[in-house]
Amino acid sequence: MIGYSRVSTKTDQRLDLQTDALTTAGCRKIFSDVISGSTTSRPQLDACLDYLREGDTLVVWKLDRLGRSLRHLLEIIDELRAKGIGFKSLSDGIDTTTASGKMMFSVMGAFAEFERDLIKERTNSGLQAARDRGRLGGRPAVITEELAQRISSLRDEGKSPTAIAKELEIGRATVYRHLKQQPAAV
């Protein structure tokens, strides 16, 4: 059994509670990060996942110490399962080395997938409703007919896209985008 512990900051939290519980549970090695859970890069978690071998079990004190989100947590557990590595969460009573623990994670995975599908469905429905009302998605166009004429005139005067953008107080990319659509592009 290999342990992983994490606290967000050194000043507010301490690893002792987690490491003591992991040691008591029988972990022979413990990896620890002192870093925010929302941070994508967690060096000791990466080292822990590299260290684990088939037949090992990753043990955490609590689920939220491992994953940034339910989706991230499920991805990690799926990776472990594919490598023949078990998972236990001491406080949550989850143990994927048992049939009931595997079922629990399958149910959690199904709910996470259901949630993703609902979000996608709602987003698509909202976009369709907006289209039905005649509204197209995306930001409103920056270039009006008048602005397009001014850009073209300034370009005909020999001004650079950077100078045009500065004079008209618009983004350089907007100028380039307009000029690219013209017959005599940049």
Side-chain angles (χ1 to χ4, degrees), residues 111-163:
F111 275 112
E113 185 176 342
F114 175 66
E115 181 182 21
R116 284 192 300 273
D117 289 346
L118 279 178
I119 291 168
K120 184 178 177 182
E121 192 175 286
R122 284 187 207 124
T123 301
N124 289 334
S125 294
L127 290 171
Q128 184 60 50
R131 283 191 292 273
D132 291 347
R133 289 189 310 274
R135 185 163 188 285
L136 299 175
R139 295 188 327 190
V142 171
I143 300 182
T144 62
E145 189 62 39
E146 180 186 333
L147 187 57
Q149 289 174 355
R150 297 243 0 244
I151 292 171
S152 296
S153 295
L154 291 170
R155 183 61 175 168
D156 291 344
E157 292 174 16
K159 293 199 175 185
S160 71
T162 301

Side-chain angles (χ1 to χ4, degrees), residues 10 23 36 45-46 48 65 95 119 128 136 141 169 176:
K10 286 182 182 178
T23 301
S36 170
L45 176 59
D46 294 339
C48 179
R65 302 294 88 198
D95 182 352
I119 291 168
Q128 184 60 50
L136 299 175
E169 297 179 347
Y176 277 110

Side-chain angles (χ1 to χ4, degrees), residues 8-79:
S8 297
T9 62
K10 286 182 182 178
T11 56
D12 293 346
Q13 301 172 349
R14 295 182 50 166
L15 289 165
D16 298 346
L17 173 68
Q18 294 177 52
T19 54
D20 289 349
L22 294 170
T23 301
T24 301
C27 293
R28 59 181 166 88
K29 184 165 181 67
I30 299 172
F31 293 83
S32 300
D33 275 317
V34 178
I35 195 163
S36 170
S38 62
T39 305
T40 54
S41 173
R42 291 192 260 163
Q44 287 299 300
L45 176 59
D46 294 339
C48 179
L49 295 174
D50 286 341
Y51 181 84
L52 291 163
R53 299 291 178 251
E54 184 175 351
D56 286 346
T57 299
L58 174 61
V59 183
V60 295
W61 178 64
K62 203 169 183 187
L63 284 174
D64 67 353
R65 302 294 88 198
L66 183 61
R68 296 186 309 271
S69 64
L70 178 59
R71 183 178 186 165
H72 182 238
L73 182 64
L74 292 170
E75 287 172 5
I76 292 173
I77 302 305
D78 281 343
E79 287 176 26

Side-chain angles (χ1 to χ4, degrees), residues 168-180:
L168 299 177
E169 297 179 347
I170 59 175
R172 202 171 57 184
T174 301
V175 174
Y176 277 110
R177 199 169 19 260
H178 170 71
L179 293 174
K180 187 176 180 182

